[in-house]
Amino acid sequence: MKLKINNVNKIFNNDNKHHHVLKDISMDIEKGQFVSILGPSGCGKTTLLTIVAGFQSCDSGEIIVNSKMVSKPGPDRAFVFQNYALFPWMNVGDNIRYPMKQQKIPKGQREKRLNELLEMAQLTGKDKLYPHQISGGMKQRCAVVRALACSPEVLLMDEPLGAIDFQMRQNLQEELENLWLKDKTTVLMVTHDVDEAVYLSDRVIVMGTDKGKILEDMYIDIDRPRNRDSKSYLEYKMKLTDVLKKCNNK
Ligand SMILES: Nc1ncnc2c1ncn2[C@@H]1O[C@H](COP(=O)(O)OP(=O)(O)OP(=O)(O)O)[C@@H](O)[C@H]1O
């Protein structure tokens, strides 16, 4: 088992009121699995992801990566934010080098990995460009390969394509899938987009607003690359949309 989320509880205290956002949330994610979390706004998706990342702690429960309990950020988990969070003062190459320098990876090895990653992201020859000089899609690919630079055990992504318009988004989903197929890193991704979840995921988990309760845990059993018009693809989308509609109506 690669990633284990065990009975996680999170309570926020706002204006002297307890807000129990996550109650006894558990899930086991297998090595190499691509898992998406869907759910209505405010149900606790980002909170759960940031607890797994170690950016904040839970009130009780545990996060286990490769049989080791984790409670703070570490190189075993990488995070991709919606706004990419590239360093604007560093060019593409230096952005991707940054985590490798932090991990003190020797220069020769670092440059070899950089070239691999640039190729993987179709950014070869773009390493001297700065974030403001590249498109949203290129920024997103740069952010994903930067996260993969030190070969994390788990890649955490919070709406990584949230800022991208619809048409570009489908292309990027295909690119994201290709990147993942090359590395097969375990992925936990938050998204609002049912189509994106069905296209990319081995498994989709739907959280509800009642303390993040897991309402659905669905395996997407369709060969890749997936045909968005196929009957089974549309059936999965319909089933997930129904679950989401029910929790929005509560
Ligand atoms: N640091 C915080 N302090 C207090 N309350 C918080 C904090 N972070 C999140 N919350 C509350 O916890 C709940 C869950 O927030 P979270 O961002 O995890 O939801 P989400 O499912 O990711 O929402 P969205 O889909 O809109 O991004 C919300 O009610 C939010 O207001």
Side-chain angles (χ1 to χ4, degrees):
M1 192 68 57
K2 204 58 162 187
L3 170 64
K4 216 169 158 61
I5 298 173
N6 255 348
N7 287 310
V8 163
N9 278 273
K10 182 72 185 173
I11 300 166
F12 288 115
N13 294 308
N14 295 336
D15 304 328
N16 294 325
K17 277 189 206 137
H18 290 312
H19 184 182
H20 203 152
V21 175
L22 299 174
K23 182 165 187 272
D24 297 329
I25 300 298
S26 297
M27 55 185 84
D28 288 346
I29 298 177
E30 298 292 339
K31 181 178 162 55
Q33 218 173 36
F34 194 124
V35 179
S36 290
I37 303 184
L38 281 172
S41 182
C43 72
K45 303 179 293 297
T46 297
T47 302
L48 182 63
L49 209 65
T50 53
I51 289 172
V52 175
F55 297 157
Q56 61 178 330
S57 57
C58 49
D59 293 294
S60 64
E62 50 189 22
I63 307 296
I64 296 166
V65 178
N66 254 351
S67 317
K68 235 178 68 194
M69 203 166 112
V70 293
S71 56
K72 53 182 191 206
D76 53 348
R77 285 146 295 140
F79 203 97
V80 177
F81 298 88
Q82 182 178 353
N83 58 4
Y84 324 117
L86 295 175
F87 302 122
W89 62 91
M90 284 185 198
N91 64 29
V92 165
D94 285 342
N95 261 286
I96 300 173
R97 280 185 191 100
Y98 180 79
M100 297 192 272
K101 283 186 179 168
Q102 294 293 99
Q103 289 306 308
K104 305 206 168 20
I105 293 176
K107 192 168 176 205
Q109 213 175 313
R110 202 164 68 209
E111 293 306 301
K112 187 165 169 268
R113 179 74 174 144
L114 171 69
N115 288 330
E116 262 173 36
L117 293 163
L118 286 169
E119 196 187 323
M120 220 164 132
Q122 295 165 41
L123 288 170
T124 303
K126 312 275 188 219
D127 53 316
K128 299 279 188 300
L129 297 177
Y130 284 81
H132 73 273
Q133 296 175 307
I134 61 176
S135 69
M138 288 158 87
K139 280 186 210 151
Q140 187 268 342
R141 296 196 311 255
C142 181
V144 172
V145 293
R146 182 179 65 175
L148 294 175
C150 297
S151 306
E153 302 286 348
V154 184
L155 178 61
L156 304 163
M157 298 195 280
D158 194 0
E159 293 191 64
L161 305 180
I164 308 265
D165 68 64
F166 174 74
Q167 280 183 337
M168 179 76 172
R169 209 170 158 131
Q170 291 206 340
N171 298 339
L172 287 175
Q173 285 162 4
E174 286 157 28
E175 287 176 6
L176 192 54
E177 180 183 41
N178 289 334
L179 281 176
W180 172 73
L181 285 171
K182 281 181 197 148
D183 250 43
K184 275 282 192 159
T185 305
T186 309
V187 173
L188 186 58
M189 175 179 85
V190 165
T191 178
H192 275 116
D193 184 339
V194 174
D195 184 70
E196 183 165 290
V198 175
Y199 188 80
L200 285 169
S201 315
D202 295 318
R203 182 178 165 198
V204 181
I205 292 172
V206 182
M207 284 169 64
T209 40
D210 179 17
K211 304 182 184 77
K213 188 173 168 190
I214 293 173
L215 303 177
E216 184 67 65
D217 186 348
M218 191 182 286
Y219 283 75
I220 311 292
D221 189 14
I222 317 178
D223 289 342
R224 296 171 187 271
R226 293 176 176 160
N227 173 359
R228 295 180 203 257
D229 297 321
S230 73
K231 186 166 173 270
S232 51
Y233 189 95
L234 296 170
E235 278 170 359
Y236 278 115
K237 269 182 77 173
M238 250 159 52
K239 279 190 227 159
L240 287 166
T241 306
D242 275 350
V243 179
L244 280 169
K245 264 192 203 147
K246 277 182 200 140
C247 56
N248 280 326
N249 290 339
K250 271 186 187 159

